[in-house]
Amino acid sequence: MELLPVCLWVLIWSGSTSAAEAGPEITVIEGHDVTLPCSISEDITAERFDWRADGQKEVYVYEGGLSSSKDLSGQHEQFKGRVSHFPGGLKDGNASIKISNTKVSDSGKYSCEFRRTNQKQHVKLLVDGPLTSYGTAQKPNIVTLAETDNWAQLQCEVHGASPKPEVQWKDREGNIIPAEEPKISERGGSYDITLQIKVTKTGYYRCVSTQQSIRHQTEAETYVRLSGPSDSQKEVL
């Protein structure tokens, strides 16, 4: 009879661990760059965050201005020279990293941990083999680079598209949202496009990739919930 409470505790603990390890899944073509998202709502310039792959391999560490790319040892050989963070976003809590020249072996589960607060976030990465021929753009990847109570920085990535697509951010009603200048790279007639926006309202946002000449369109959608005052509350204030 005394074993029953122990068994129930194990079941509950196991379920909560599974939920905590849920996170976005990102797919990229081998050889292209990819951004793995991670952020909290505070300045982390003087803090430490650790990225690991499959719970063991050290991917990247940042600590108070020092990082694996320059100053800290311990980074797994697989990732040396290919990982960087976004220095300009640290004050907004952006701990995202970019992995350059991805390999199929980079596929796996990644974790981002903030040491001081013991917060951990997860991302699953799938790196597909190289394209053997040009073709339609795959579904865009959307990541949140940084977020506060009042705004969020969103990034859309389209990889391995040919012919070159037009990439736009839209709201759920189909209205085009002004975005930053797109970053475009070309490799043998195949295009990678990155497009960022800053949003200040809670709602759904879509990244749409259109290849007009072959009549192909694909999109991805994300929901942003901001905890700052609503528009009605702002009017009262």
Side-chain angles (χ1 to χ4, degrees), residues 133-151:
S133 61
Y134 306 140
T136 57
Q138 296 187 4
K139 184 177 180 179
N141 288 319
I142 295 177
V143 295
T144 301
L145 295 180
E147 186 174 2
T148 69
D149 291 343
N150 301 306
W151 60 265

Side-chain angles (χ1 to χ4, degrees), residues 33 46 56 58 63 93 114 117 132-133 140 151 167 171 175 202 210 220 230 234-235:
D33 300 346
Q56 298 178 342
E58 182 180 301
E63 183 172 16
F114 298 93
T117 58
T132 55
S133 61
W151 60 265
V167 181
D171 59 24
N175 302 308
T202 294
T210 305
S230 65
K234 290 178 182 178
E235 291 177 2

Side-chain angles (χ1 to χ4, degrees), residues 5 26-27 40 45 66 87 128 135-136 138 145 196 204 217 224:
I26 298 176
T27 302
I40 57 175
T45 305
L66 306 179
D128 287 336
T136 57
Q138 296 187 4
L145 295 180
Q196 295 184 8
Y204 288 91
Q217 186 176 84
V224 174

